[in-house]
Amino acid sequence: MLFTNDQRRRILAGEMTATIRAWQAPQVKAGKGYRFGDQHELAVTSVDLTESSALTPDDLVAAGFASRAAFEAALPRFANDRPQGPFYVVRFRLEPRELQPPAAPADIERLVARLRKLDGLGDNGPWARDALSVIAANPRVVSTELARQLGRERFSFKADVRKLKRLGLTRSHDVGYEVTELGRQVLTALGE
């Protein structure tokens, strides 16, 4: 789940324990944890579909809205096409995330082999090292600009970055990406 910087600050401060989303279908599952920065995860406790009129004051406050009027004023930003709902109320707990120790050389070798295999499967030729390099050199830069630097189409580039993210090599931000410590180790092994 993506959050604004203000929402992230409020979650970390314990001021927000829910979010209200205008999804067509649920994007998270109760009982699962979702990465929230480097040191935390959001443990989803419930995902409930509800009509706008059924949102309680507790739902609104937990999601960071001081009042129903504040919620309604925010609707154009996150529910422009469905302002009447229904909405998903996602409740969560902020929990510390276990940080992983540096990867063993054998793990790095497996990741490098996996990236080389992905390079061979793509329509754009070898792309993994270039994508990691441009993200490392330009953290938190909008994907449109990163794709342009590589001479790539934005959506194809973003699809490849998601592959890197699934391997733990990058992380997404509200704007742009960043290479993880594991990604830096792999980039070094790739000869950057």
Side-chain angles (χ1 to χ4, degrees), residues 54-176:
L55 290 169
T56 67
D58 286 345
D59 292 332
L60 297 171
V61 169
F65 300 103
S67 65
R68 182 165 293 277
F71 168 72
E72 289 172 355
L75 284 173
R77 289 195 310 271
F78 74 94
N80 198 29
D81 58 333
R82 296 177 48 207
Q84 300 310 103
F87 299 103
Y88 286 93
V89 178
V90 180
R91 292 196 176 270
F92 51 79
R93 274 186 327 271
L94 181 67
E95 296 183 345
R97 189 171 69 81
E98 266 188 48
L99 297 178
Q100 300 296 318
D107 294 331
I108 299 294
E109 290 172 17
R110 277 193 290 278
L111 284 167
V112 167
R114 177 74 179 132
L115 290 179
R116 289 194 172 123
K117 182 176 180 182
L118 287 172
D119 277 346
L121 297 174
D123 295 336
N124 298 302
W127 58 268
R129 193 185 96 207
D130 291 344
L132 279 172
S133 295
V134 76
I135 293 167
N138 302 278
R140 297 181 185 237
V141 170
V142 68
S143 61
T144 307
E145 173 60 21
L146 299 176
R148 186 193 62 72
Q149 287 184 34
L150 294 174
R152 302 236 355 237
E153 188 272 326
R154 176 180 178 223
F155 294 108
S156 169
F157 173 74
K158 287 179 67 129
D160 284 344
V161 173
R162 282 193 295 275
K163 294 170 190 169
L164 298 174
K165 183 178 176 181
R166 281 193 293 272
L167 294 171
L169 305 179
T170 63
R171 71 178 61 89
S172 298
H173 294 285
D174 289 339
V175 175

Side-chain angles (χ1 to χ4, degrees), residues 19-66:
T19 185
I20 299 172
R21 301 294 170 124
W23 294 325
Q24 295 289 330
Q27 305 294 308
V28 296
K29 292 182 181 180
K32 288 192 71 177
Y34 296 88
R35 188 178 183 146
F36 188 74
D38 288 337
Q39 299 179 0
H40 298 93
E41 74 175 17
L42 297 179
V44 174
T45 57
S46 66
V47 180
D48 299 308
L49 183 63
T50 186
E51 296 298 323
S52 178
S53 60
L55 290 169
T56 67
D58 286 345
D59 292 332
L60 297 171
V61 169
F65 300 103

